[in-house]
Structure formats: structure tokens, C-alpha cells
Amino acid sequence: MGTSRSSWRNTTHDWAADVDLGHLAGIRRDPAEFAPGGVRHLILEVLAYAADEAASTGAGRCTVTLHPDGSVSVADEGRGTDTRFDEHGRPVKKPVMASKDLRFFDDPGAETLPDGHPRRGMSVVAALSEWLVHTNRRLSGSWIQRYEQGVPVSGLETVAGDGATGTTVHFLPDLHLPPLAGDLRRLADGRPGLVVTVDDRRGG
């Protein structure tokens, strides 16, 4: 058994609620503000979390896969997204996809991503994607959850563990966003300690 959710200290996100609809709607109203450059910026937002994991352990690896259907998956080998058990023994994942990152979102001095634009958090990726599937593997268990335009449409579903830890974020960017273009090798610029591999399966 765990402890009451109300007793958990907020660090990067507010544990009080699983989804902030107003926050997600605000992002969707202004995609040019929150995802300048389109799909590339979304990938960089996800890579920033992989880089956080690499920094915590001294090094890390991550694979960016570009799928034929236009979707993108980013898989790292970190610790997995913080997931705790409440007083009823139910798993609760930190609401990184559906609420604001308290460190960056409203901070005019937030860190800058390699594209020169500010980091806002993973909720930008979720809100500006038709769908997103988050697979989370931790030492304490493994789970998967699906979102549509940032809103959870499934519960936190248990999946079989494979002995590894890490996070995979697979998303289909909104069709109106500028598509991915340019030198993909630069996706990892400014991320010391993180080795990024790009697997382009789009063909053509």
C-alpha cells in the first residue's frame, strides 16, 4: 500500500489531478506559439526528458523512430516516468502529459531547446497530437496509457515487464503542424551525455 495522493510533494507537476483541460485547450488554441517549427519542436520536447534521465545517471541512449503513417516514437532507457501507489494500492502516474510542467511552462527564463525556442513540457506534445501512447517501464511495474489531443482516453493499463526500464512516447502530430524536415542528426544538439539514434522508416 502507498500513501495518500494529497501528501505527495509537487516538483515538476501537480499530483492533484490527472488532467488539466484548460491548460490543454490553451495550447491547442495557439500551436504556433507552443510548437514553433512544428513536429521538430515536439520531438525536441520529448528528447528533453530523455536528456534529463541521461543527466541523472551520467549517460543515456534514445531512439527516435519516424513511422510511415507520420507518427513518431521516442524511446529512452531511463528510469521511467514517476509512478506511485496510493493508499488503495492503485498506481498513479505523474501527470506529465496532461498538465503543465511547473518548472518551465510559465517561466520566461525557461531553458531553450536546440531549435532556439523555450522548453514548455510534455503536455505540448500531447495536446498537439491527434493521439499519443505513453509506455512506462519502471522497476515497480510497467504501464501504458493512450491520449487524444492531450486528454486520457484509457486508464493506466498494466503491461508485462521485460526487465528493462524506460519510457516510450509514440505520437501522431496534428496534421496542420509544419512537418519534420532538415538534418535529423541535429535533434540531439546541446544534449551532452545523450546518444540519439534516428530510425527513419518513412521510405521514399
Side-chain angles (χ1 to χ4, degrees):
M1 300 292 276
T3 58
S4 171
R5 188 167 175 168
S6 62
S7 69
W8 299 344
R9 183 171 67 91
N10 295 333
T11 52
T12 66
H13 295 76
D14 189 344
W15 286 95
D18 293 323
V19 58
D20 183 340
L21 294 176
H23 169 68
L24 297 170
I27 295 171
R28 292 191 59 78
R29 281 194 296 268
D30 197 355
E33 167 68 20
F34 296 107
V39 176
R40 177 178 294 272
H41 187 81
L42 299 188
I43 295 173
L44 292 174
E45 288 279 12
V46 183
L47 285 176
Y49 282 85
D52 288 345
E53 286 296 294
S56 72
T57 60
R61 301 182 64 86
C62 183
T63 300
V64 178
T65 304
L66 310 176
H67 299 274
D69 64 355
S71 66
V72 180
S73 58
V74 181
D76 69 46
E77 300 173 356
R79 298 164 295 179
T81 305
D82 191 357
T83 303
R84 305 179 183 183
F85 293 86
D86 67 15
E87 67 271 30
H88 305 291
R90 296 174 299 204
V92 179
K93 183 181 65 182
K94 184 184 288 187
V96 298
M97 299 296 172
S99 67
K100 71 173 60 176
D101 192 312
L102 303 174
R103 301 168 296 174
F104 309 118
F105 195 82
D106 294 320
D107 181 4
E111 72 173 82
T112 300
L113 295 175
D115 61 0
H117 298 293
R119 181 179 180 182
R120 291 314 195 347
M122 201 77 84
S123 60
V124 168
V125 183
L128 295 178
S129 293
E130 294 296 320
W131 53 259
L132 181 151
V133 176
H134 182 193
T135 305
N136 178 35
R137 299 185 184 279
R138 291 176 63 82
L139 293 176
S140 57
S142 300
W143 303 270
I144 192 169
Q145 189 166 29
R146 182 182 173 94
Y147 301 77
E148 294 179 1
Q149 298 181 342
V151 179
V153 294
S154 75
L156 199 58
E157 300 173 0
T158 301
V159 295
D162 60 4
T165 61
T167 301
T168 300
V169 179
H170 188 185
F171 61 98
L172 179 66
D174 283 348
L175 295 179
H176 63 269
L177 290 177
L180 186 62
D183 185 358
L184 302 183
R185 292 173 298 180
R186 299 196 60 188
L187 288 173
D189 282 1
R191 298 296 171 191
L194 179 66
V195 177
V196 178
T197 300
V198 177
D199 181 6
D200 191 344
R201 303 180 182 178
R202 295 175 295 177

